[in-house]
Amino acid sequence: MHALKALGIAAWIALAAAAEQQQGYLGFNSGATLDNTKAKQQSDFEQEFKTAQKLHGSPGSFNSVRLYTNVQSGTKDTPISAFQAAVATNTTMLLGIWCSGTTSIKNELTALQSAISQHGQKFADLVIGISVGSEDLYRISEDGIDNKAGVGTGPDEIVGFIEEVRSTLSTTPLSSKPVGHVDAWSAWANSSNSIVIDAVDFIGTDLYPYYEDDKGNTFSNATTIFNYIYDQTLSVSGNKPVWITETGWPSSGPTFGQAAPSIDNAKTFWADIGCRRLFGRTNVWWYNLRDSNPANKEKFAITKDLSTTPLFNLSCPADSGAPAAINLDSSSTASAVGAASPMVYMSVSVLLGFICWLV
């Protein structure tokens, strides 16, 4: 009987853990350089990751990061110092392999293999997946060319790089990690890129209603535009999971079409899109914790100078279905519990009831 109880408790603990995992990862994007173009060092990445984990009122723990490259800025194939920072802060990673403007990803893979050798299983356990490229298909599209998005890479090349990644990592601790690609929704919706969808384990999509100036992108239309462009990606994904790799609304900068940046708009976008559509439902890497691209006049950072006090209230409404707010003072504990994800609340409640019955 005692053995049966132990097995029963273990099974229900596993169920609760599985429900918690279904909430998805929460995090931000992080480039290889600062806004002055200097290479980020381990201390820079650690400061970002620690701030993300301690953001006041965040809906769950933002303890994940999406990277764009494995290579430390200014080097040939040295592992990016974000790896050491992630290990030091227990931050999960969506790795990135830079594919645009090149015919070889050898240096990217050399850096990744070096990181595996240096950090071993602890590093591997923090890796969520590997993105082969970022908006490469968009850059070679008509819109990308019109917007001077830079040099891109075609679908055949991306598929070749994906195959190379899988082959290179097949005998490493990363062999079972999902390999995917990140691109703009319009690239995924373009049928000429369907071979990339066939090749990936997951689809990463970047969704910015702010930039959709051909869709009446006044802020009052932001949710409608987001739903449309998100659904465009979902409609072609088949059985492949879709992860939100970039989204957000700028708090300052120029008006783009009819889209006006402001802190109030950034806050409302977080609440309407993040809280009510994304957080607790899929993997999300918000754009962004810190602005580090000097070419962007629009500023998306949700905090100033990496303060743990954000520009606006990050906590989600209790009925939003998002994870509970954390990093609150003790007087806020009750309201935080009330805002917990329905799935987690149900799992914990059932688990407690089952344990009481066994006892």
Side-chain angles (χ1 to χ4, degrees):
M1 182 64 178
H2 289 297
L4 179 61
K5 286 183 178 181
L7 287 172
I9 292 172
W12 280 96
I13 289 175
L15 175 62
E20 185 75 27
Q21 179 63 34
Q22 288 178 33
Q23 286 189 327
Y25 294 95
L26 296 172
F28 299 98
N29 293 264
S30 186
T33 59
L34 299 166
D35 59 4
N36 59 7
T37 72
K38 290 184 178 179
K40 288 181 184 175
Q41 305 302 318
Q42 180 179 346
S43 58
D44 298 309
F45 285 111
E46 282 196 26
Q47 188 180 8
E48 286 185 16
F49 302 165
K50 290 177 180 178
T51 293
Q53 293 171 6
K54 296 177 181 178
L55 284 169
H56 181 78
S58 65
S61 181
F62 279 68
N63 58 355
S64 189
V65 65
R66 176 191 167 221
L67 303 171
Y68 295 84
T69 179
N70 295 317
V71 179
Q72 178 70 8
S73 178
T75 73
K76 178 184 177 182
D77 55 18
T78 300
I80 190 168
S81 56
F83 294 161
Q84 293 172 296
V87 171
T89 60
N90 199 35
T91 297
T92 61
M93 296 170 284
L94 174 57
L95 303 184
I97 292 178
W98 192 257
C99 296
S100 282
T102 183
T103 58
S104 172
I105 56 172
K106 179 181 178 181
N107 292 340
E108 290 279 351
L109 292 174
T110 297
L112 183 53
Q113 289 172 306
S114 296
I116 296 171
S117 298
Q118 180 179 355
H119 300 291
Q121 193 62 46
K122 188 172 184 180
F123 170 79
D125 289 343
L126 292 171
V127 175
I128 299 166
I130 304 153
S131 173
V132 182
S134 177
E135 295 193 359
D136 311 89
L137 304 174
Y138 165 74
R139 292 191 192 95
I140 65 169
S141 70
E142 183 177 341
D143 286 343
I145 294 171
D146 288 345
N147 292 326
K148 300 179 181 179
V151 179
T153 302
D156 292 329
E157 290 78 10
I158 292 296
V159 170
F161 289 153
I162 289 171
E163 293 172 350
E164 183 178 355
V165 168
R166 288 200 177 106
S167 175
T168 301
L169 299 179
S170 62
T171 58
T172 75
L174 299 184
S175 60
S176 63
K177 301 296 182 178
V179 179
H181 174 71
V182 168
D183 227 300
W185 71 272
S186 55
W188 292 119
N190 187 333
S191 60
S192 65
N193 296 323
S194 62
I195 60 171
V196 180
I197 296 176
D198 295 336
V200 298
D201 298 318
F202 69 87
I203 291 170
T205 187
D206 297 346
L207 306 171
Y208 289 103
Y210 171 81
Y211 290 117
E212 299 294 330
D213 59 346
D214 62 342
K215 295 178 176 60
N217 62 337
T218 178
F219 184 73
S220 62
N221 202 29
T223 298
T224 300
I225 295 174
F226 180 91
N227 290 338
Y228 173 78
I229 59 181
Y230 188 18
D231 290 344
Q232 287 291 301
T233 306
L234 293 172
S235 69
V236 298
S237 63
N239 62 348
K240 307 293 176 72
V242 175
W243 299 351
I244 309 301
T245 39
E246 290 182 29
T247 193
W249 193 276
S251 60
S252 65
T255 297
F256 192 91
Q258 301 176 58
S262 73
I263 292 177
D264 284 344
N265 287 348
K267 175 184 177 180
T268 302
F269 190 83
W270 175 279
D272 291 349
I273 301 303
C275 294
R276 297 195 178 278
R277 184 82 198 256
L278 302 179
F279 303 152
R281 298 146 177 101
T282 187
N283 296 339
V284 181
W285 291 271
W286 199 263
Y287 199 88
N288 209 4
L289 181 69
R290 165 160 74 177
D291 291 302
S292 57
N293 185 351
N296 285 350
K297 296 179 180 179
E298 306 86 1
K299 302 305 177 185
F300 287 82
I302 65 165
T303 185
K304 183 178 181 181
D305 299 327
L306 292 182
S307 168
T308 56
T309 301
L311 296 179
F312 51 85
N313 183 8
L314 301 181
S315 60
C316 294
D319 64 349
S320 68
I326 64 171
N327 301 323
L328 302 169
D329 56 44
S330 58
S331 64
S332 302
T333 302
S335 61
V337 172
S341 166
M343 181 176 290
V344 175
Y345 178 81
M346 178 184 69
S347 300
V348 172
S349 298
V350 174
L351 173 60
L352 290 174
F354 183 74
I355 292 175
C356 288
W357 174 79
L358 287 175
V359 174

